[in-house]
Amino acid sequence: MKKHIFFLLLVLAVFIVSAQPLFNREKVLEQIELANNYFMTKWPEVGKTIITNKERPSNIWTRAVYYEGLMALYKIHPKDIYYQYAYDWAEFHQWGFRGGNTNRNADDYCAAQAYIDLYKLDPDPKKLKNTRACIQKFLYTPQKDDWSWIDAIQMGMPIFAKLGMLENDERYFDKMYEMYMFTRNNHGDNGLFNEKDGLWWRDGDFDPPYKEPNGEDCYWSRGNGWVMMALARVLDIIPKDEKHRKQYMEDFKKMAEALVPVQRKDGFWNVSLHDPENYGGKELSGTAMFVYGMTFGVNNGILNRDKYEPVIKKAWEAMIKESLHENGFLGYVQSTGKEPKDGQPLFYDKIPDFEDYGLGAFLLAGTEIYKMN
């Protein structure tokens, strides 16, 4: 009898432990709000130009990625102040883009991702006038080589997915696929995706014969993070039966698989994924993007929970412990660039040239963590 009671208590204990959520949702929300409030306090004027080595408008890609994260935060925690901050930014820029509507540079029309999200909350044709004019031209022009660097996949791809759904127009899906596959298979010498390693070269300057100091291929962490983030966002948007979905799923899974063995022991990923000695060390932006992608994959049944939950948990806890300051500032964010050496060295108190895109990635990661059961 005692043995039976002991066994039942043991089963009950295992059940209780297994039923515990992986993360404290209230704590996660508190952490991402802390980081966001730091930024909103530091940048109360949404239209203020960004001055680094030169002056830039506040609707460039770095800030647009932040607003992607803010809109994700608003979706799980709809505070009026978040909506107003995003709306005022869009209004200031007249819902438009640096370089105007004829511009084909994905960095400059990235802001459309937030514009579309704001439009869906309160439809008004003025909000999408520029977005439609800018993106529709791709449907009527033969070029498909615009995304010659992998960052552009994230800046542009989700916009085509969002417009395809909004307009119920498959041409956006088809053009998005053509442009994605050209980057994947044609840019550089033989495309920028190495199917063997499951990772991407940043652009044609880094595919073979270019090598890292240790002789490995150069796979930049944040560059691969951009692609993983884009694929997750697109898979979240397009229909389940969209004819190109299988390709995106396969690439997404290959990337996730490739990232597991190169995660650092402390939970972060190095800026150089296959050469830990080439400016090795903690880096938040790429890590946050990988966490976002993997957590999205687990939450939506694309990635195996048992395999990826420990990877996600280790990475999220590392970012909270090692990067998030008491005032909400995020340390170990690599400044803008295109390879491991840019913006180095990194450390806890270092302010990157732009504080916005790293935060955007952190907010996207945190909102997916918040949804995790």
Side-chain angles (χ1 to χ4, degrees), residues 317-334:
E317 289 179 349
M319 288 192 290
I320 297 303
K321 180 182 177 182
E322 303 292 340
S323 290
L324 182 64
H325 288 227
E326 289 185 4
N327 67 350
F329 172 76
L330 294 170
Y332 295 106
V333 175
Q334 186 183 13

Side-chain angles (χ1 to χ4, degrees), residues 138-332:
F138 290 93
L139 305 183
Y140 299 99
T141 52
Q143 298 99 309
K144 52 188 177 182
D145 61 349
D146 294 88
W147 300 338
S148 61
W149 71 111
I150 59 174
D151 312 32
I153 293 174
Q154 140 62 26
M155 306 308 159
M157 202 171 168
I159 298 168
F160 286 76
K162 287 172 183 281
L163 281 177
M165 292 298 292
L166 193 66
E167 309 285 349
N168 193 27
D169 189 341
E170 291 186 3
R171 293 179 302 163
Y172 288 103
F173 300 149
D174 293 339
K175 190 66 178 186
M176 172 179 72
Y177 178 74
E178 288 180 10
M179 294 169 72
Y180 171 77
M181 292 302 286
F182 194 94
T183 305
R184 185 188 190 277
N185 298 335
N186 298 98
H187 273 305
D189 289 334
N190 294 293
L192 297 180
F193 184 56
N194 185 344
E195 291 199 46
K196 177 177 173 290
D197 286 345
L199 296 170
W200 297 69
W201 297 293
R202 197 267 181 180
D203 57 47
D205 292 338
F206 296 96
D207 61 2
Y210 186 93
K211 295 290 182 183
E212 287 286 73
N214 70 349
E216 288 280 339
D217 285 296
C218 181
Y219 300 123
W220 184 38
S221 177
R222 188 163 67 228
N224 279 271
W226 289 129
V227 180
M228 193 168 203
M229 198 157 88
L231 290 173
R233 288 173 71 71
V234 168
L235 289 169
D236 194 34
I237 297 165
I238 61 175
K240 299 296 184 185
D241 61 351
E242 200 278 324
K243 58 181 176 288
H244 308 302
R245 185 181 181 90
K246 182 180 177 182
Q247 180 71 63
Y248 305 141
M249 288 274 283
E250 288 177 355
D251 291 352
F252 179 77
K253 289 179 180 180
K254 282 181 182 177
M255 290 191 71
E257 182 77 22
L259 289 165
V260 173
V262 294
Q263 185 181 29
R264 290 164 51 93
K265 290 182 179 179
D266 62 12
F268 287 88
W269 277 267
N270 289 302
V271 292
S272 181
L273 294 174
H274 277 196
D275 188 349
E277 301 304 318
N278 188 24
Y279 297 98
K282 304 177 181 74
E283 202 286 306
L284 179 121
S285 64
T287 297
M289 292 174 192
F290 297 149
V291 169
Y292 167 69
M294 289 181 184
T295 311
F296 167 83
V298 170
N299 286 346
N300 289 275
I302 299 170
L303 299 178
N304 180 273
R305 180 177 294 271
D306 291 339
K307 178 175 182 175
Y308 287 95
E309 271 191 351
V311 178
I312 293 165
K313 188 173 189 293
K314 184 194 282 188
W316 179 256
E317 289 179 349
M319 288 192 290
I320 297 303
K321 180 182 177 182
E322 303 292 340
S323 290
L324 182 64
H325 288 227
E326 289 185 4
N327 67 350
F329 172 76
L330 294 170
Y332 295 106

